[in-house]
Amino acid sequence: MQPRRQPPPAPRPRGNCPGAPLLALLLLLVLRGAAAAPAGPQDPRRPQDAGLSRGLLQQAARAALHFLNFRAGSPSALRALAAVQEGRASVNPKEGCKVDLVFSTERYNSEEGEEHLGNCSARVFFKTQKPRPAINVTCTRLLGKRKRQQEDYLLYKQMKQLKTPVDVVSIPDSHGHIDPSLKPIWDLAFLGSSYVMWEKTTQFLHYYLAQLTSVKQWKTDDDEIDFDYTVLLHEFSTQEIIPCRIHLVWYPGKPLKVKYHCQELQTPEEASGTEEG
Amino acid sequence: MRWILFFGALIGTSICGREKFFGDQVFRINARNGDEISKLSQLVNSDNFKLNVWQSPSTFGRPVDVLVPSVSLQLVKSFLASQGLNYSVTIEDLQGLLDNEDEEMQHNEGQERSGNNFNYGAYHSLEAIYREMDSIAADFPDLASRVRIGHSFENRPLYVLKFSTREGERRPAIWLNAGIHSREWISQATAIWTARKIVSDYQKYPAITSILERMDIFLLPVANPDGYVYSQTKNRFWRKTRSLNPGSPCIGTDANRNWNASFAGKGASDNPCSEVYHGPHPNSEVEVKSVVDFIQKHGNFKCFIDLHSYSQLLLYPYGYTVKKAPDADELDVVAKRAAKALASLSGTEYQVGPTATTIYPASGSSPDWAYDNGIKYAFTFELRDTGHYGFLLPASQIIPTAEETWLGLRTIMEHVRDHLY
């Protein structure tokens, strides 16, 4: 069995699963206790494989989580990755990478000392042809349905009370501070960004929401929240900062509607981060 | 006189054994003559009241401060009144006062650790960091000195703090590197905190004292000053240096892809517009060359640690290949021990492993260069957090991060001390 090798991250790797290009390769890697657990045990037989497949499982977990957050459409029920428990992957250079995995999650906005872990199992298909990973994921509940609806509605009311136009320079600011009154905006921005990050995550690239840089529009006069904004996504492992313009419409309990456009290509002016404005 | 001396004795073992002082009060009692003093001594000596003398006068006529436990308040008041002793209540609730003081102390601990009001729990300008380095050297001239090892592309000084307990010797040394990627602000902040920690703890705590008795420590808190200033003034997410790239409108080189260790290999880019652009050739960046030259000239470094953010990882060579480093097993043991020590403070979990497989392949990185140049104990810390705030780590997390990281650093340095080669 050949160990998988990752292609270099720059300039911009496409979503191909590598493998011996001439052979149809079926690689089954079973890894227990992998990934995010500290000092997790390495497979003694194939330490390199263990490392590479641990990375793949984490990629899959991230993709699954973004999709989960988007589909739940609930800014108060956002989840973050706790740890990957176990998983296996099969690679087919023509079709792509299929990953089955089990991972645990915690609340994105966990209170101090709060320890609520949810468990998820997912199948993530990083397709060669289509850029966006296909995901099936089910999780145990972190929040009761009623509680989630209540909290969503609370957030919704807070949002409706914000004075428009919303004066947003950067959230968080350079020192990591978020004004408590603007926290609901951040949560909603993160929810919309989850859709974007789901679509962009591959087996090599993953993302974090770095900052909300501007609000073009914040409309709450209708029932729905109409939110047009730009964020910066931090891309691993290229280390690029990618501006994305996102337009979402949200109402508690209803599916989230998202449209977006990210600055994909590096033009010289935009490279290495953008200037103000 | 003897009465007064007698008063000086601290009675009240019952007080000393207690931990809380709810409702306890402090009375200031004025004994105006010998007769009153003898009555006071009666009171104080009596086991029934369980008093504790705080302030006993050395000369006649000065007031006596006495701690009165809450259970004895009524009795003592009655006694004083019956004896005609004059008194006032100076502290009405000792526990309340202690609680406030505690709070204030904790607040101040978060605020400053130095005399000139440098707040370690905040992010600072380059000038402020350089000033504080100077201040540390001035406060501890026998231990610390600020050394200029070169300059940046835009001609800013590169300052290192040297911690050494023996001059004139080129002892085995440790290099602590920070801020090579300018947007990773927790790195510079942790470094300057660590500088103050080293000087504060020397000769107070055995571990750092014994480390410094055997080795020197060199700390570079801002390895990329141009980038740092730019991230403070123009673009918070600036990562690279600010050197010009001839023929390209894009500025800067990734200083941590510019070292001579499989230069221009995997995990780096030859595109000047890329965040991981490796530069035209190894050590093209003056910031990198200055460190390389210094370390090579010194010739006796045993440990190189590079601080970054974010991801909560503790990494060792290699980044440029997935092949196992010859010392990987030992480095893994040390790293795991360090991660465990770090986690012991607040439960912050770090993953441990070789760079290429734990984070991603990266060629031309500083720890790989150090390792391939005989510096066996080469590590990278990716500090807090795991993506929630990322680079924008709230200032409130600076000190907790620095404190836990210190435990990890110390663990590594202890191992180096015990395994000098």
Side-chain angles (χ1 to χ4, degrees):
Chain A
M1 297 239 201
Q2 291 183 18
R4 280 186 57 252
R5 288 175 58 75
Q6 291 196 6
R12 265 182 144 62
R14 285 292 127 220
N16 291 320
C17 267
L22 303 174
L23 304 169
L25 191 69
L26 257 183
L27 189 66
L28 283 170
L29 303 158
V30 179
L31 198 70
R32 286 195 64 85
Q42 293 221 1
D43 184 351
R45 291 169 293 145
R46 282 193 308 262
Q48 295 169 14
D49 280 357
L52 292 174
S53 51
R54 186 201 310 154
L56 179 60
L57 294 185
Q58 274 205 300
Q59 291 296 102
R62 290 173 180 128
L65 216 39
H66 290 316
F67 175 72
L68 182 77
N69 282 330
F70 158 68
R71 200 187 55 186
S74 163
S76 61
L78 294 165
R79 299 191 196 221
L81 182 64
V84 177
Q85 248 76 64
E86 60 178 333
R88 56 219 291 259
S90 68
V91 172
N92 182 322
K94 265 211 285 189
E95 290 188 358
C97 262
K98 264 204 202 113
V99 185
D100 288 311
L101 72 156
V102 174
F103 59 94
S104 60
T105 65
E106 56 193 19
R107 280 191 79 176
Y108 177 76
N109 284 315
S110 60
E111 310 287 305
E112 192 58 50
E114 187 186 82
E115 262 276 323
H116 286 142
L117 290 185
N119 280 318
C120 301
S121 69
R123 162 164 289 187
V124 177
F125 192 3
F126 293 113
K127 294 179 184 161
T128 314
Q129 307 298 358
K130 272 175 114 183
R132 164 170 106 176
I135 303 188
N136 265 311
V137 57
T138 43
C139 296
T140 58
R141 279 203 188 287
L142 275 183
L143 264 179
K145 186 169 179 194
R146 195 161 232 117
K147 181 111 197 285
R148 176 157 57 87
Q149 284 174 341
Q150 283 174 350
E151 294 204 10
D152 271 353
Y153 195 68
L154 216 78
L155 279 175
Y156 172 74
K157 281 208 293 194
Q158 285 171 5
M159 293 176 199
K160 294 274 270 182
Q161 270 157 22
L162 286 170
K163 276 201 319 226
T164 54
V166 168
D167 185 24
V168 166
V169 181
S170 296
I171 298 178
D173 66 15
S174 282
H175 297 229
H177 180 250
I178 301 178
D179 192 302
S181 68
L182 299 177
K183 188 68 167 49
I185 294 190
W186 170 260
D187 287 341
L188 196 59
F190 181 80
L191 180 60
S193 305
S194 297
Y195 179 79
V196 181
M197 294 191 283
W198 160 42
E199 293 218 321
K200 292 171 71 61
T201 302
T202 69
Q203 60 270 44
F204 310 116
L205 297 174
H206 65 272
Y207 300 85
Y208 295 98
L209 177 58
Q211 196 178 46
L212 168 64
T213 50
S214 74
V215 176
K216 299 280 186 284
Q217 180 164 269
W218 176 263
K219 260 198 337 192
T220 63
D221 15 296
D222 304 327
D223 278 342
E224 296 168 324
I225 309 276
D226 191 303
F227 188 17
D228 188 344
Y229 59 103
T230 56
V231 294
L232 296 177
L233 299 183
H234 177 207
E235 182 180 75
F236 272 76
S237 55
T238 62
Q239 293 297 334
E240 300 296 333
I241 300 290
I242 299 174
C244 294
R245 173 90 179 257
I246 302 177
H247 185 192
L248 69 81
V249 173
W250 179 68
Y251 187 79
K254 282 200 170 148
L256 184 70
K257 289 178 267 204
V258 186
K259 284 212 285 265
Y260 72 93
H261 175 76
C262 294
Q263 267 171 250
E264 288 293 356
L265 293 169
Q266 252 170 45
T267 66
E269 294 84 53
E270 283 137 8
S272 306
T274 47
E275 304 285 335
E276 246 95 294
Chain B
M1 276 303 170
R2 281 187 54 187
W3 289 117
I4 291 149
L5 288 173
F6 192 67
F7 290 154
L10 277 176
I11 312 155
T13 46
S14 54
I15 305 275
C16 291
R18 285 168 54 202
E19 292 200 331
K20 291 292 184 185
F21 304 93
F22 293 109
D24 295 355
Q25 298 189 341
V26 174
F27 286 13
R28 175 156 284 186
I29 305 168
N30 288 296
R32 290 161 293 196
N33 52 51
D35 187 42
E36 292 198 344
I37 287 169
S38 74
K39 287 175 188 169
L40 193 46
S41 80
Q42 237 186 313
L43 175 71
V44 162
N45 292 341
S46 163
D47 250 332
N48 295 332
F49 299 123
K50 310 241 182 284
L51 301 184
N52 180 254
V53 178
W54 276 16
Q55 174 77 1
S56 51
S58 51
T59 59
F60 187 88
R62 289 271 187 85
V64 177
D65 288 341
V66 178
L67 171 61
V68 183
S70 56
V71 293
S72 305
L73 280 177
Q74 274 313 114
L75 291 171
V76 171
K77 282 180 180 173
S78 309
F79 179 87
L80 291 173
S82 71
Q83 301 297 317
L85 286 167
N86 184 258
Y87 74 97
S88 58
V89 179
T90 48
I91 297 175
E92 282 192 327
D93 174 21
L94 185 59
Q95 188 57 40
L97 189 79
L98 291 175
D99 287 343
N100 281 342
E101 199 179 65
D102 238 330
E103 217 180 86
E104 203 184 273
M105 248 175 22
Q106 277 172 34
H107 175 78
N108 281 338
E109 220 189 348
Q111 293 300 306
E112 47 198 80
R113 300 185 58 169
S114 66
N116 63 342
N117 297 318
F118 184 88
N119 180 358
Y120 283 88
Y123 294 111
H124 290 280
S125 68
L126 183 69
E127 295 73 44
I129 293 177
Y130 279 177
R131 245 181 293 135
E132 183 61 8
M133 289 173 73
D134 203 31
S135 175
I136 289 172
D139 289 348
F140 296 87
D142 294 330
L143 178 58
S145 53
R146 193 180 73 164
V147 179
R148 189 181 194 276
I149 65 165
H151 60 85
S152 67
F153 182 82
E154 292 174 346
N155 237 324
R156 295 185 172 87
L158 288 170
Y159 284 133
V160 153
L161 273 172
K162 175 183 179 184
F163 303 100
S164 180
T165 58
R166 190 78 65 84
E167 275 316 303
E169 260 181 53
R170 224 198 50 238
R171 292 167 128 188
I174 296 166
W175 186 275
L176 300 179
N177 210 56
I180 203 171
H181 290 145
S182 36
R183 62 193 181 194
E184 299 166 7
W185 285 10
I186 188 60
S187 168
Q188 299 92 332
T190 295
I192 191 66
W193 182 97
T194 303
R196 181 59 73 172
K197 179 70 171 168
I198 290 173
V199 293
S200 304
D201 278 12
Y202 174 64
Q203 291 185 328
K204 291 209 187 72
Y205 292 93
I208 186 59
T209 304
S210 74
I211 288 166
L212 284 167
E213 294 296 317
R214 308 278 309 274
M215 306 184 292
D216 292 344
I217 300 175
F218 291 82
L219 172 64
L220 176 59
V222 190
N224 178 9
D226 296 348
Y228 189 60
V229 172
Y230 197 77
S231 73
Q232 296 230 310
T233 55
K234 292 277 184 352
N235 181 346
R236 176 62 179 83
F237 294 103
W238 191 263
R239 166 186 169 92
K240 302 192 286 182
T241 61
R242 290 293 298 168
S243 58
L244 299 172
N245 294 307
S248 170
C250 293
I251 293 179
T253 289
D254 185 341
N256 207 30
R257 301 288 185 277
N258 189 242
W259 302 67
N260 197 3
S262 187
F263 178 82
K266 287 192 289 181
S269 168
D270 60 2
N271 180 351
C273 299
S274 165
E275 292 283 23
V276 292
Y277 173 52
H278 48 58
H281 58 81
N283 303 334
S284 62
E285 303 313 287
V286 62
E287 296 85 351
V288 170
K289 186 171 196 313
S290 304
V291 175
V292 169
D293 287 349
F294 187 93
I295 290 180
Q296 282 184 330
K297 185 154 171 243
H298 183 280
N300 205 16
F301 275 89
K302 304 298 176 196
C303 174
F304 184 101
I305 301 176
D306 201 9
L307 301 183
H308 289 259
S309 79
Y310 54 92
S311 285
Q312 290 174 206
L313 305 170
L314 182 39
L315 310 166
Y316 50 85
Y318 287 112
Y320 68 73
T321 176
V322 294
K323 282 218 287 276
K324 202 168 136 170
D327 300 289
D329 287 339
E330 182 190 354
L331 296 179
D332 194 78
V333 167
V334 178
K336 283 199 170 81
R337 195 187 308 143
K340 192 163 172 222
L342 188 155
S344 70
L345 195 64
S346 309
T348 306
E349 288 182 0
Y350 272 56
Q351 261 178 273
V352 167
T355 302
T357 51
T358 310
I359 187 168
Y360 43 64
S363 60
S365 73
S366 60
D368 282 359
W369 171 84
Y371 184 75
D372 281 347
N373 278 271
I375 302 174
K376 182 175 17 158
Y377 298 106
F379 296 96
T380 300
F381 279 75
E382 291 280 355
L383 301 174
R384 290 195 195 179
D385 56 15
T386 53
H388 190 132
Y389 285 96
F391 300 125
L392 306 184
L393 194 72
S396 57
Q397 291 197 40
I398 294 176
I399 290 179
T401 300
E403 290 192 325
E404 67 192 12
T405 304
W406 171 247
L407 299 180
L409 290 173
R410 205 183 60 191
T411 302
I412 294 172
M413 295 196 289
E414 283 171 335
H415 184 92
V416 178
R417 173 201 67 201
D418 297 338
H419 295 82
L420 285 175
Y421 55 95

